[in-house]
Amino acid sequence: MKTKYDAIVIGAGPAGLACSAELANRGLDVAVLDEQASPGGQIYRNITQATPRQHAILGSDYTDGLEVIKAFKEADVDYLPLSRVWQAEETGDVYFSREGASHQLKADYLVLCTGAMERPVPFPGWTLPGVMTCGGMSNLYKDSSLVPTEPVVLAGSGPLLWVVAEHLFALNAPIVAILDTTPLMQVLPAMKHMPRALKRIGFMLKGVKLIADVHLTALKRKVPIRRNVKNLRAEGNDQVEWVKATCGKKEIAYAATTLLVNEGIVPNTSLLRQVGCEHTWDPIQRFWFPKVGLDGRTNLPSVFVAGDGNFVHGAKSAEYKGKLTALTIANEMRRISDAEFEEQAQPVRDMLELDISPRPFIDKMYAPRPDLFGIPDNTTVCRCEGITAGQIRDMIEAGYTDHNEIKAIIRCGMGPCQGRMCGPAVFELIAEGSNLEPQKIRQHRLRPPIKPVSLQELANAKVGETDES
Amino acid sequence: MSKTNSKFEWNNPLATVDTVTITFEGETCVVPAGVTVAAAILGHTNDHICKSAAAGEKRTPYCLMGVCFECLVEIDGLYNRQACLEPVYEGMNVKRQNEVIDKTK
Amino acid sequence: MKADVLIVGGGIMGCATALELARKGKSVIIFEKDTPGRHASGNNSGGVRCQGRDIREIAIAVEARKMWGLHEKTILSDCGFFVSPRLRLAENDKELQVLVKRQEKLNAMGYDHEVVVDLAEVRRLSPHVADHVVGGLVCYSDGLANPMLTSKAYAAAAEREGVTILKGTRVIEASTTSSGFKVRTSRDKFYEGEMLVNCTGAWAGRFSAMLGDPLPVFSAAPTMMVTGRMPGMMNGTSLGLTGRLLGLMAAQNGTIVVGGGYRSPHDLEKEKIWVDPMQMAKAAKIMVEIMPGLKKAQMMRCWTAFEGCIKDKVPIVGQSIKVPGLFHVCGFSAHGFQLAPMMGRVMSQIMLGQKPELPLDDFRVDRFEDQKTAK
């Protein structure tokens, strides 16, 4: 393995694949580090090995990924799957675990394509075995063809809920209810973004058709679809047995052993924050996203960000952003001239602009509802350390408005996930309990290693003599 | 036994695909080749995969994409493997971790 | 605005000093550029340790240890303090001799808090240490505390006594006046006081230079890590070594906080530290040798904080020679946390013109000049 590259791309989803292929095709020495065993990211997970049946079930949104995979495979890229990056620095150093050992690589440019994750929203019973995310279920099918055989409830708000419902229906999974938590009030304000969204009328119609199809199937199979659902909770002893909620003034309950939830998608910024990228607060979707231009530039000269890790725009946009980032770096390294850059970047920019045109509508339509984080006091917020909303509210009442300080005292966010699961909730609890504007609240810091590393592995790393300066 | 009490099934029936045999907590699981360790265990049992670091509560995977750390297992003596990211291989020995919990809490 | 005393730096030293002064009737304003506990005070490894201290610090440390047990009464918080004996291991006979000599020296000074223990006692205290260990020196009364909680508790106690803590307020300029000092803050406000205290930690040298009294304080970023839970592994005993760098603190929840003076590159101006994982790799190597069971442990997190250091590793405490009325409490060289309660007390005594209850001669600001003349 080489130890020095022109560019290291972290993440092999659409952005990372497109970016690394483009960089390699411009003659750059490129390595791609990815956690998974095969390329594709979450959206195209396992695409290189998926069966015809999986392709048929998952449809063109999945199968389309074969194109970017093909370009990636044809490019001269050092691809390192099953690599867990646990630290990156603006100096271009990257530390990661692979095959039970720690490694270090260096590059002039780092491109972080860490993608998105589902917004973690604590609710009563969300730690029970049997509760998982819609995307998680989707991944189980994509990489392992695993399908539920016992009653399933889907709950949440956003396109992914309907996509997964469609797949599970096609697989004849026993869905017993779909609980849409989108407030009815949100449809109207979103409408002002409709004209822009209609630039991609085909895409919008596809979305409408998807939801209509799911409704039709649900009707045929007598599966209730509840709207305006609140107070979702899972109950059971060793696993989920009941899914309960309120619908209007009515209490509803379904016997189920699997509850799939999705409350939207947020950028996965752990590595970005650890490396020191500056972030901005999005007041509509209520997440932090890195300050990144469409060309991928961040506040750190050697660090670029592309894909949904920048702002959640979807798979195609991620690919375009990956390409633009590659062109920017190639231009900066003088592999292409300014004129070539402009000539090649402009069409990609145009495609990107068109691709993201429906996003303002979708973002507004599926904005987190105001009571999304109205978490009951006795509900666990920090899954790792078992810290409840009440314990966090007590800290906020005592004057703490910084997750980092709260963590140092009650260990909320101190466990192996390092606040990935509780971070957004703690942030919202602080916003709720203090008078601070969200953008004035300090974000939860991520410290290396962003994934735990075994001491044995660390001890085996090659190091010099102790420098006691 | 390739399936005990799982609430999931392999959509590609085992008879039609290549399989590998792994061990989870001493039990033999026959699973399709190429699946993840998390899927292999979920396809085998409804029981927990790991326990929460602090309180020792039983957990199964939540995100299945590497961010929730609710699927940490020991694989062939290596700790803290995220089961949702590791593909199975023949003869793999998987154990739960965090079975011993913090008694002082 | 005016106060008797202006304190720059709202860390644990500044707040402890302010608290004692306020209790003795002085009006105090603290200027804190971030929030109390933001830097080393709130982010150190939490060691409340007498064992192994520089001989010059022993008297203060022993008195301070008594105060740690009283915090629930004195500042209304237990600070997360608990006893975890600190055992310094000897890995060979030569190292054991070093420990024996240390105990003899301390006994001669009248202290009996550190005792040499044989292998049986080492194993009783810490059953999982490696076979090659031959003995140790233990301080049974040492312990650990929660640094963030402690820093916040001191700040809150000071505020209850009437101290004003100006958070998010940096001192931009400081100068002497006919009646004391005048400072200008980042909020463009002016404050005056008769006395000024430099509790600025890693920034102590810079701050003092503003008043024409440069100090030999340099910054460092000691790097620590914490492991995942290893129930029973440490048996409640914290460990140190005699011939190598390592400190293992046995937290009550089963995690192990690892320190020992491993340092990361940093930029004090930009307030940026680049955690060097290779430093932690060095620590990991030694950990596994000292306690083979730690092979199974995980490095969960690394962190660092800016510390103000002095080459002889003991602090500067007392009045400036060049600028009367300016007091320094700085340069604790990454081991000031335990001393803080007592530092507040002796500072208040000297600032009120009293004789400190313990001599502070060894911490004089001009001790380096003495050495120069001696040579």
Side-chain angles (χ1 to χ4, degrees), chain A residues 425-446:
Chain A
V426 174
F427 189 87
E428 294 287 355
L429 289 174
I430 292 170
E432 161 204 279
S434 69
N435 293 320
L436 295 169
E437 293 288 310
Q439 55 274 15
K440 296 256 170 75
I441 300 172
R442 271 185 69 217
Q443 253 196 297
H444 172 230
R445 250 193 321 265
L446 265 102

Side-chain angles (χ1 to χ4, degrees), chain C residues 49-273:
Chain C
R49 168 179 64 85
C50 286
Q51 190 269 114
R53 282 198 174 267
D54 191 290
I55 291 296
R56 291 168 286 181
E57 292 177 351
I58 297 278
I60 301 257
V62 168
E63 272 317 297
R65 171 62 187 86
K66 294 176 191 160
M67 296 174 78
W68 276 96
L70 302 171
H71 275 144
E72 227 165 337
K73 265 192 200 149
T74 55
I75 61 170
L76 306 184
S77 167
D78 66 2
C79 300
F81 174 74
F82 63 96
V83 170
S84 166
R86 173 83 170 202
L87 172 63
R88 192 171 175 189
L89 299 172
E91 295 186 74
N92 54 48
D93 289 337
K94 206 172 141 199
E95 288 181 7
L96 192 57
Q97 282 315 303
V98 172
L99 299 182
V100 168
K101 285 213 179 88
R102 171 155 176 110
Q103 190 193 339
E104 284 168 6
K105 191 165 182 182
L106 288 176
N107 290 351
M109 289 166 70
Y111 296 108
D112 56 5
H113 63 278
E114 295 179 35
V115 287
V116 170
V117 287
D118 62 11
L119 200 49
E121 179 63 357
V122 166
R123 296 226 165 271
R124 189 189 70 82
L125 284 165
S126 191
H128 300 288
V129 296
D131 291 341
H132 73 276
V133 169
V134 296
L137 179 74
V138 64
C139 178
Y140 290 99
S141 57
D142 277 350
L144 298 168
N146 181 319
M148 184 61 76
L149 188 59
T150 307
S151 301
K152 297 293 184 185
Y154 263 96
E159 282 180 322
R160 279 196 299 272
E161 295 289 342
V163 172
T164 302
I165 304 181
L166 300 171
K167 293 155 199 162
T169 306
R170 188 188 289 267
V171 170
I172 302 286
E173 280 169 19
S175 55
T176 51
T177 65
S178 57
S179 60
F181 298 88
K182 187 174 171 182
V183 303
R184 182 164 77 91
T185 70
S186 50
R187 296 171 187 254
D188 212 25
K189 285 194 175 145
F190 291 88
Y191 298 84
E192 286 182 54
E194 289 162 26
M195 288 179 278
L196 183 66
V197 191
N198 174 13
C199 301
T200 55
W203 292 267
R206 272 163 208 240
F207 174 72
S208 188
M210 250 191 232
L211 287 152
D213 185 16
L215 297 178
V217 178
F218 61 91
S219 59
T223 303
M224 295 150 275
M225 72 170 150
V226 63
T227 69
R229 286 176 171 77
M230 296 296 290
M233 184 59 76
M234 298 295 285
N235 195 38
T237 302
S238 295
L239 298 175
L241 297 181
T242 308
R244 301 197 273 179
L245 289 170
L246 191 69
L248 301 181
M249 272 66 81
Q252 275 179 314
N253 56 31
T255 63
I256 305 165
V257 175
V258 184
Y262 296 90
R263 290 169 184 189
S264 286
H266 68 280
D267 184 331
L268 191 63
E269 198 76 54
K270 291 183 185 147
E271 293 197 13
K272 168 87 189 159
I273 303 174

Side-chain angles (χ1 to χ4, degrees), chain A residues 139-385:
Chain A
N139 279 354
L140 276 181
Y141 180 68
K142 285 174 185 168
D143 64 35
S144 307
S145 284
L146 210 58
V147 177
T149 55
E150 290 180 22
V152 181
V153 174
L154 285 88
S157 170
L160 190 59
L161 184 77
W162 302 106
V163 171
V164 173
E166 187 197 32
H167 297 162
L168 289 183
F169 271 143
L171 290 161
N172 288 315
I175 299 179
V176 293
I178 299 173
L179 311 179
D180 186 351
T181 59
T182 315
L184 295 175
M185 302 283 288
Q186 249 160 245
V187 182
L188 276 181
M191 279 303 158
K192 71 170 180 203
H193 299 287
M194 191 50 112
R196 194 177 159 203
L198 288 176
K199 280 187 183 171
R200 284 186 66 211
I201 181 90
F203 172 85
M204 294 299 288
L205 286 176
K206 202 172 150 188
V208 172
K209 185 174 180 301
L210 164 73
I211 295 174
D213 284 349
V214 171
H215 276 75
L216 198 63
T217 314
L219 195 67
K220 278 188 205 155
R221 300 192 190 179
K222 301 196 170 65
V223 175
I225 297 183
R226 301 288 187 182
R227 312 270 305 270
N228 220 5
V229 170
K230 286 184 190 310
N231 302 322
L232 178 70
R233 55 211 189 271
E235 292 177 5
N237 288 319
D238 273 348
Q239 64 164 341
V240 179
E241 290 162 24
W242 287 94
V243 176
K244 296 182 178 172
T246 49
C247 180
K249 283 179 184 161
K250 219 174 109 192
E251 280 291 314
I252 49 176
Y254 300 95
T257 54
T258 300
L259 169 60
L260 304 178
V261 292
N262 174 265
E263 289 290 353
I265 312 277
V266 299
N268 182 3
T269 58
S270 316
L271 185 64
L272 282 54
R273 284 186 282 154
Q274 184 267 307
V275 77
C277 294
E278 284 174 11
H279 285 70
T280 309
W281 174 251
D282 180 59
I284 304 221
Q285 271 290 318
R286 297 189 77 83
F287 57 55
W288 288 93
F289 64 98
K291 286 185 186 169
V292 179
L294 287 179
D295 57 5
R297 283 184 202 280
T298 68
N299 56 307
L300 307 170
S302 59
V303 179
F304 286 68
V305 170
D308 273 359
N310 151 346
F311 199 94
V312 178
H313 289 137
K316 264 293 163 198
S317 292
E319 204 179 309
Y320 300 140
K321 286 188 263 184
K323 260 188 195 146
L324 280 177
T325 301
L327 290 172
T328 310
I329 292 172
N331 178 231
E332 202 169 291
M333 292 190 83
R334 308 316 300 167
R335 302 296 170 99
I336 54 174
S337 69
D338 292 351
E340 283 169 315
F341 171 75
E342 266 316 308
E343 190 193 331
Q344 295 170 23
Q346 196 51 48
V348 188
R349 282 192 205 118
D350 292 344
M351 286 190 285
L352 177 59
E353 200 192 336
L354 180 64
D355 194 71
I356 63 179
S357 52
R359 292 315 303 195
F361 172 78
I362 297 172
D363 287 350
K364 189 81 190 166
M365 173 82 187
Y366 293 117
R369 57 184 185 277
D371 59 353
L372 187 59
F373 289 95
I375 310 161
D377 273 347
N378 56 2
T379 299
T380 298
V381 169
C382 170
R383 298 174 69 102
C384 302
E385 295 289 331

Side-chain angles (χ1 to χ4, degrees), chain A residues 45 53 145 149 239 257 383, chain B residues 7 9 11 70 82 84:
Chain A
R45 195 173 168 108
R53 172 147 172 85
S145 284
T149 55
Q239 64 164 341
T257 54
R383 298 174 69 102
Chain B
K7 58 192 171 197
E9 69 177 11
N11 194 247
E70 297 277 31
Q82 289 179 278
C84 69

